[in-house]
Amino acid sequence: MSAVGAQVVVAVVQVVVLVLAAPVVVGVTREVRARAEGRAGGRVGQPWRDLVKWWRKRPLQATGTSVVSRIAPVLLLSSSLVVVALVPLVTAAPTVVPADLLVVVSVLLVGTVAIALLGLDAGSAFGGMGSSRHMMIAALVEPTVLMAVYALSVPVGSSSLSAIVDARRDDPASIASPAGVLAVVALVVVVLAETGRLPVDNPSTHLELTMVHEAMLLEASGRDLASLELGGWLRLSALLGLVGNLVLPWGVAGGTGPGELALGAVALLAKLGLLAAVLGAAEVGVAKLRLFRVPELLAGSFVLAFLAVTASALVA
Amino acid sequence: MTPLWVQAAAALLAVLLAVVAPARLRGRLAGAACAVTAGAGVWGGAQAMAGGAGVLVVGTALPGVSMTFAPDRLGGLFIILAGGVGVVASVYGIGYAAWAARTTWAGFAVLLLGMQLVPAAGDVLGFLLPWELMAGGSAVLVLAEHRTRPSARPAGVWYTVMTHLSLVTILGGFALLVVATGGQDFATLATADPAASGAAFVLLTLGFAAKAGLVPLHVWLPRAHPEAPSHASAAMSAAMVKMGLYGLLLVTVRLLPGGPAWWAWTLIGLGAVSAVYGILQAGVASDLKRLLAYSTTENLGLMVLALGVALLLRPAAPVASATALLACLLLAVSHAAFKTTLFLGAGSVLHATGERDLDRLGGLVHTMPWTATTFAIGALGAAALPLTGGFVAEWVLLQALVRGGETVDRTVTVATPLAIGVVALTAGLALLTFVKAFGIGFLARPRTPGTQRAHRAPVSMRAGMVAAAAAVVALGVAPGPVAVALARAVDVPVTSTGVAGIALPGAGPVLDPALVAALGLGLTVPVVAAVLVAARRAPRVVEVPAWGCGAVRDDPRVQYTATSYAEPLLRVFDDALQPERDVEVTHIAESRYLAARVAYRQELSDVVETRLYRPVLRAVDVVADRVRRVHNGSVSRYLTFAFGALVAVLVVVAR
């Protein structure tokens, strides 16, 4: 099989697996949280049903909105799909389009910007508020993101994700090293902030004064809302899968054979299920931070990542 | 050397046309001549980059004193940069400044010529004379609209003073080198011992940093750029300030390579502070052109940071150092492309609405689709998002820092992550800044009636904007060939790979944006197809009132403004920005719990200006006041002074 053909197969497999799994990941998180709080909760498949329902409805578009309102949902969804296709989730085989961590981060930013502009487009005060807060968090999370990227790249000498995952699988001791642990902790904070989870943003709130992500989606409906939600869930699942592969790099396929890919997909689903449950359980005991306390959290995780970098440089 | 003569002749012609042509034709004729000047610059720069520019010696009225023009590859690059920006700005100016005053067009031609001659210089005199041409031409442009806007006058004063101070220090720095080596051409100056040239380095860096708008010498920039006509702001911001960067490259790479480590640290410090401070100020600015001016300080900061990193890593990690140098040049080129786009876009907005205050704009995407699209592309470039030149440049810079971190030197291993932090914070804040600039300025509903009546830009203005925006995208999708050409200018081994990607030196990482674009396209097509199928079954319902949690008032004043958008940022960086806020609540007479009116005033000043410059200016004022008391107009007192001076001279001579 040619290199391009292999790339296409990998991209298609990862996209299909993740698109099918992402709503379920969110469903698991909600279910675990509901059970832990003593509620019955919806079913695990509820997010999927919501998606189908939204997709069938007619979207409403407010007066005075521009083409941005139509493009932004598609842009968010396809940027999430690019991330899913690039990140080594099912297989860590080197790909034609290099899975460069810096490229992945910037593709995520495309989605961030799309949704921020969507929030401004309708000209409602809530949209602007959400957009403004969202961009502030995105701006302050950026140093931590790149520091975590750096902490992961320096030991390998490359910012290629497949190389990083490969190196961790070959040398499991590096996962438990101080530098490795600090870098992953910093990355987890980044993932929480990037995907709008507690304690940075509460995905289940619609209380006007505290919402960030939801405020930007207020004007979206029908299939626009479906694209936006699916895009957000795909981001969450891809980043959780990445964390899973960094902490437990076993089961990730090394090549692109059908058997390897099937095994890799099963391992990925297991890791996603586990992490979703952990996320849901952890969110029970966490309250949302005040908006202006979020920079402190991000600064803290920046320091962790910085320690990880200096630790790996000075100890080695 | 033919292009040089063409440039000079066309510039002269442009000045002549600007002065004598009838007002009706002035813009077209002078604009065309300016475009030829700049086009000849691109031609000459291309010759120089190919290594065949030759040498031109121009005699002066003083015997034995001559100017030499001998552009090398690096110089050629900056000539192309100035020329390319010049062509686009001239074409745009034909529509934008069709009725501009004579001095505006004459100043613009002089600025263009000066910018293209500075990097062509082969000796000190050939450098300084065009440098002053450039400064003079741009000073005229800053003052161009002094009749309609009183704020142009202080801006002109600030600019002239800063640019002259920079000339004095550059002159001093070169003089020290000339004394040390005994010649004024660059080949002789290059024989100076870097270890003994610390004072020259400091003086030259001060001068070039002032031109490049680096903190704390940036104060002229946010005043001068908004006042100049927009095509001139584009040329100044995208090309003229780069001459400061060229000067720094000239000193540290060509004349005095191998300087001590503290030179590198100085540049890194200057660059880091400028980058963060510049983008913070841009983030909270609501005047569109002021925002762009501060963003220029930020970008120049990043370039100087990259240069400093390149110098720092040169002994220990030559590969990373070469990558950082490439990053510096890529940043310069991509900044030229997107900043031209943005300033031209801001000019079109100003032209159509008479507004440059974001708080009063809005909804322009409906009335000005061309400007909105090109501005959006420029904003994406400034925010360093993928498929723009800005992203490629930042990617190379970050890769240089990642690889620089592998060295054994411990100061370097601590410094590189901090530099990454600075670059990342800058990138994050740039994202916010440009989402704000585009989202508030062009989306939602118009905030003032003037904005509602906006009209489309004329053809020549659209052509300029489209050309500049196309350059941003081209640099972002196919950066390979450009990177190879830039790398050759500074002797860095970079190859183009894949479709049109970059392969960094030393079997380094590869970036091929065209492939990422192909992947993105491949994944977008099914999404769009699915959306289209769904749209056939359930068409969109348009023209319903915005929902906004059921609490929407139709008044456009309830929308978020640029000021409110930046409020969280302002709060987080309160200590660094020190805004002055004033909230005044008027209560209803019967109850102190009900407010009749709330007035909110917020003023943002440049902390560097208020803390550093104001005290100095006050001190100068006080001294000047004291000195003034000495000469009170009485003739007898002046005669006494003259007599005293005469006695003093006689005493000195007699000894």
Side-chain angles (χ1 to χ4, degrees):
Chain A
M1 201 171 10
S2 73
V4 176
Q7 167 89 59
V8 171
V9 169
V10 170
V12 168
V13 168
Q14 299 208 44
V15 165
V16 169
V17 169
L18 262 277
V19 167
L20 290 176
V24 182
V25 167
V26 175
V28 169
T29 321
R30 289 183 188 166
E31 178 72 12
V32 169
R33 187 172 176 189
R35 288 288 165 84
E37 286 174 345
R39 291 185 283 121
R43 299 236 192 95
V44 171
Q46 187 57 39
W48 250 119
R49 278 185 223 116
D50 286 339
L51 268 190
V52 173
K53 177 184 74 186
W54 290 326
W55 194 264
R56 287 190 182 145
K57 285 194 164 187
R58 297 180 70 183
L60 305 181
Q61 195 180 340
T63 317
T65 51
S66 69
V67 69
V68 170
S69 285
R70 298 175 183 216
I71 293 178
V74 175
L75 202 59
L76 176 71
L77 183 52
S78 37
S79 76
S80 300
L81 289 176
V82 171
V83 169
V84 168
L86 275 180
V87 172
L89 292 170
V90 173
T91 172
T95 44
V96 181
V97 184
D100 190 297
L101 200 38
L102 295 170
V103 174
V104 170
V105 167
S106 66
V107 174
L108 280 176
L109 287 180
V110 172
T112 306
V113 167
I115 203 168
L117 290 176
L118 177 80
L120 283 171
D121 195 39
S124 83
F126 283 125
M129 182 191 77
S131 174
S132 157
R133 294 176 173 180
H134 175 69
M135 285 317 295
M136 185 199 76
I137 294 172
L140 296 180
V141 90
E142 194 63 11
T144 317
V145 175
L146 288 194
M147 195 58 75
V149 169
Y150 185 72
L152 291 169
S153 321
V154 164
V156 191
S158 155
S159 58
S160 155
L161 268 173
S162 5
I164 295 171
V165 173
D166 262 347
R168 290 187 152 235
R169 191 173 39 191
D170 294 346
D171 177 20
S174 71
I175 302 169
S177 71
V181 171
L182 288 173
V184 169
V185 171
L187 190 69
V188 167
V189 175
V190 165
V191 170
L192 295 180
E194 285 271 348
T195 53
R197 307 298 300 191
L198 285 171
V200 177
D201 185 13
N202 187 352
S204 56
T205 187
H206 277 92
L207 178 64
E208 287 91 339
L209 295 178
T210 60
M211 61 186 170
V212 179
H213 181 261
E214 292 300 318
M216 294 180 290
L217 308 190
L218 277 180
E219 300 300 325
S221 53
R223 57 177 171 275
D224 292 346
L225 184 60
S227 299
L228 291 168
E229 292 287 11
L230 181 60
W233 297 341
L234 279 171
R235 276 165 83 115
L236 174 67
S237 307
L239 291 174
L240 281 184
L242 178 61
V243 170
N245 282 350
L246 288 175
V247 180
L248 306 164
W250 297 279
V252 186
T256 53
E260 282 178 297
L261 288 184
L263 198 66
V266 172
L268 174 71
L269 290 178
K271 286 178 215 167
L272 278 179
L274 179 68
L275 284 173
V278 171
L279 183 64
E283 285 189 343
V284 176
V286 182
K288 185 185 173 304
L289 275 181
R290 263 188 70 204
L291 183 68
F292 290 102
R293 297 292 296 274
V294 170
E296 293 167 22
L297 173 75
L298 298 178
S301 97
F302 177 82
V303 170
L304 285 183
F306 183 70
L307 280 178
V309 173
T310 39
S312 71
L314 299 182
V315 172
Chain B
M1 281 280 116
T2 340
L4 230 156
W5 291 115
V6 178
Q7 278 172 51
L12 262 179
L13 182 69
V15 172
L16 199 70
L17 286 173
V19 176
V20 301
R24 188 163 47 84
L25 295 173
R26 191 184 297 144
R28 262 176 257 171
L29 292 176
C34 283
V36 172
T37 312
V42 175
W43 174 25
Q47 264 188 1
M49 279 192 88
V55 179
L56 175 74
V57 179
V58 183
T60 61
L62 296 174
V65 179
S66 60
M67 291 188 293
T68 315
F69 293 101
D72 63 346
R73 287 206 169 96
L74 184 62
L77 166 66
F78 278 83
I79 301 176
I80 294 188
L81 201 83
V85 172
V87 171
V88 172
S90 307
V91 171
Y92 178 90
I94 293 175
Y96 181 81
W99 296 93
R102 293 187 176 88
T103 44
T104 305
W105 275 110
F108 190 60
V110 171
L111 169 67
L112 285 184
L113 182 67
M115 285 197 303
Q116 290 161 25
L117 289 183
V118 166
D123 63 8
V124 173
L125 200 57
F127 186 89
L128 289 177
L129 206 74
W131 186 268
E132 275 309 274
L133 271 184
M134 185 171 89
S138 50
V140 169
L141 288 167
V142 172
L143 284 167
E145 292 171 11
H146 69 101
R147 286 217 181 88
T148 46
R149 273 205 306 276
S151 53
R153 289 169 211 178
V157 173
W158 274 94
Y159 177 52
T160 329
V161 170
M162 291 304 288
T163 200
H164 272 104
L165 285 179
S166 96
L167 175 75
V168 168
T169 57
I170 292 171
L171 198 61
F174 274 136
L176 286 179
L177 287 181
V178 169
V179 169
T181 57
Q184 65 121 355
D185 62 315
F186 286 162
T188 318
L189 292 192
T191 58
D193 175 19
S197 311
F201 169 78
V202 169
L203 284 174
L204 288 167
T205 302
L206 273 178
F208 291 132
K211 185 54 92 180
L214 298 182
V215 176
L217 303 166
H218 67 288
V219 282
W220 62 272
L221 210 106
R223 289 167 178 273
H225 282 347
E227 297 307 334
S230 297
H231 65 300
S233 320
M236 284 169 71
S237 179
M240 190 186 79
V241 293
K242 300 276 166 51
M243 294 307 149
L245 177 70
Y246 172 72
L248 289 174
L249 279 165
L250 179 74
V251 173
T252 54
V253 176
R254 188 171 162 196
L255 296 184
L256 303 168
W262 66 265
W263 293 16
W265 289 112
T266 309
L267 292 181
I268 291 177
L270 262 179
V273 171
S274 307
V276 173
Y277 186 79
I279 197 61
L280 263 182
Q281 286 284 355
V284 297
S286 56
D287 178 326
L288 186 53
K289 286 178 85 176
R290 192 175 155 88
L291 180 153
L292 294 177
Y294 271 120
S295 138
T296 299
T297 293
E298 171 234 335
N299 281 289
L300 264 292
L302 285 181
M303 288 168 216
V304 173
L305 175 75
L307 175 60
V309 169
L311 297 182
L312 183 70
L313 295 178
R314 191 145 49 184
V319 174
S321 160
T323 313
L325 201 54
L326 174 68
C328 174
L329 296 183
L330 270 173
L331 282 168
V333 172
S334 70
H335 176 251
F338 69 69
K339 200 44 74 66
T340 310
T341 317
L342 290 171
F343 261 115
L344 297 187
S348 300
V349 171
L350 186 62
H351 190 263
T353 64
E355 286 287 354
R356 46 173 224 240
D357 186 355
L358 285 171
D359 287 348
R360 300 168 61 84
L361 292 169
L364 293 174
V365 68
H366 302 288
T367 40
M368 309 178 71
W370 286 89
T371 308
T373 312
T374 50
F375 191 92
I377 292 173
L380 292 178
L385 287 179
L387 305 188
T388 64
F391 170 67
V392 175
E394 279 207 7
W395 182 83
V396 176
L397 177 57
L398 288 169
Q399 290 293 355
L401 289 170
V402 167
R403 306 196 87 202
E406 296 163 25
T407 53
V408 282
D409 187 344
R410 292 207 167 165
T411 8
V412 175
T413 44
V414 176
T416 38
L418 284 181
I420 289 219
V422 166
V423 174
L425 182 62
T426 316
L429 292 174
L431 207 62
L432 181 146
T433 305
F434 286 97
V435 165
K436 179 185 84 174
F438 179 74
I440 301 286
F442 290 87
L443 299 183
R445 282 168 291 153
R447 291 179 176 79
T448 48
T451 313
Q452 233 156 6
R453 289 190 298 269
H455 56 82
R456 288 188 187 205
V459 182
S460 66
M461 285 167 66
R462 269 186 267 163
M465 290 189 292
V466 169
V472 176
V473 176
L475 283 171
V477 178
V482 182
V484 171
L486 295 185
R488 205 183 298 137
V490 283
D491 296 323
V492 174
V494 171
T495 47
S496 180
T497 175
V499 182
I502 302 179
L504 292 181
V510 170
L511 176 70
D512 198 345
L515 282 180
V516 180
L519 180 68
L521 204 64
L523 289 168
T524 311
V525 168
V527 175
V528 172
V531 167
L532 289 179
V533 170
R536 277 184 49 191
R537 282 188 28 204
R540 195 172 280 274
V541 182
V542 286
E543 303 295 311
V544 293
W547 179 51
C549 289
V552 157
R553 282 159 57 194
D554 215 24
D555 189 351
R557 278 171 51 100
V558 301
Q559 298 179 94
Y560 250 51
T561 60
T563 309
S564 44
Y565 202 85
E567 202 270 347
L569 183 71
L570 196 58
R571 245 209 254 190
V572 172
F573 292 97
D574 205 35
D575 295 333
L577 296 167
Q578 307 201 336
E580 280 174 39
R581 291 204 196 84
D582 205 5
V583 184
E584 212 175 279
V585 183
T586 320
H587 296 288
I588 289 178
E590 298 88 62
S591 163
R592 57 194 186 85
Y593 298 108
L594 294 174
R597 252 180 85 234
V598 179
Y600 178 87
R601 210 170 46 80
Q602 174 179 301
E603 212 163 310
L604 276 169
S605 49
D606 194 319
V607 183
V608 174
E609 197 182 308
T610 47
R611 291 289 165 85
L612 187 67
Y613 283 76
R614 291 290 165 200
V616 173
L617 292 179
R618 262 202 299 277
V620 171
D621 254 5
V622 168
V623 172
D625 208 42
R626 294 264 163 79
V627 171
R628 204 183 50 194
R629 279 185 217 156
V630 177
H631 47 94
N632 59 353
S634 116
V635 175
S636 54
R637 186 181 277 201
Y638 292 161
L639 284 175
T640 320
F641 287 153
F643 178 70
L646 187 66
V647 171
V649 167
L650 285 177
V651 168
V652 171
V653 170
R655 277 178 67 201

